Amino acid sequence: MRYDLVDLKLFLAVAEERNLTRGAEKAHLAPSSASHRIRQLEDALGTPLLTRQARGVALTRAGESLLRHAREVFAQLEQMHADLAPYAQGIRGHVSLWANTHATHTFLPMDLAGFLRDHPQVSVTLEEHTSPHIALAVAGGEVEVGVVAGHVESSGVELLPYRQDRLVLVVPAGHPLEARRDEPAGLGFGVVLDYPFVMLHAGSAIHTFTMNAAAAQGRHLNVRIQVRSFGAVLRMVGAGVGIGLVPRSALVFADRERPPTVLELSEPWARRDLQICVRNRASLSGFAVALVDALAKSAEA
């Protein structure tokens, strides 16, 4: 197959405009040249991409498929440019960091801001994953540094203390569970599963963790609404939408006018000791060592 990015860019413009002339103008080509390139692209792919109509063009099934892939191609190219741009600006090092939802939404933003301010020549890629996945990725050399919560069963990694926190239950004012806020031992997770939950979005590490915790009790969560941050969870709970499970450190994001009621959980997994996870500190790049040291130092402070 012989075609290039100019052909794909032209096809994308024509497909989005649903008009050959306007698409050619958008791609800075003459209509005759654009029509010739589209025919060559169809010949190269061996199938019609457009159906010519009186007032424009329509996509064939093959054309719809190519449009989807072309958008993905150009999105990947933009990401490539974004990844390479820092090196042209003097960036000399890069560290990959995976962390669970808890760390990503609470402690890491401030800690990474301090690290990047002190190390302007370094860039960091942060991805959110579950703790077991992070430990396996670090052990396999897929990622240099991780931040995990609780006990992770993975050989071949070193764990360093990072932060201490707890997951707590938050309920709206006047909720039936509010009367049990002073129970010394805290609430068992099974007690709260009859009530609708406000959850972080599906795919977030804490969403997966909470679903698994309910499944371990042979139950399913009643998810009323899914949101994108702990702050949104707290505001939804304060507004009476449902109950939620958040780190104690996230309570600073609660709406002061309608703060939720905080209840302790008796479950052992409620304690969320965050740990820095590396495969072998001695084998880390210098920039990764600097990041590990900065995270450990911020925890001490």
Side-chain angles (χ1 to χ4, degrees), residues 162-241:
Y162 177 44
R163 300 277 189 164
Q164 292 183 335
D165 209 350
R166 284 189 67 84
L167 290 177
V168 294
L169 188 75
V170 287
V171 304
H175 192 275
L177 289 173
E178 190 176 38
R180 306 183 64 174
R181 65 184 301 178
D182 296 324
E183 292 192 11
L187 295 178
F189 191 54
V191 174
V192 308
L193 291 176
D194 293 327
Y195 299 96
F197 269 74
V198 178
M199 291 285 295
L200 282 191
H201 58 93
S204 65
I206 198 167
H207 182 281
T208 302
F209 173 84
T210 310
M211 289 294 185
N212 289 339
Q217 305 224 11
R219 304 285 299 279
H220 296 284
L221 283 184
N222 176 7
V223 179
R224 188 75 178 276
I225 191 170
Q226 297 181 47
V227 294
R228 302 295 298 185
S229 69
F230 286 132
V233 171
L234 290 164
R235 289 190 292 275
M236 287 288 181
V237 171
V241 174

Side-chain angles (χ1 to χ4, degrees), residues 243-261:
I243 65 176
L245 197 64
V246 301
R248 184 178 292 280
S249 57
L251 295 176
V252 295
F253 303 119
D255 185 342
R256 294 185 179 183
E257 294 184 2
R258 290 188 293 183
T261 299

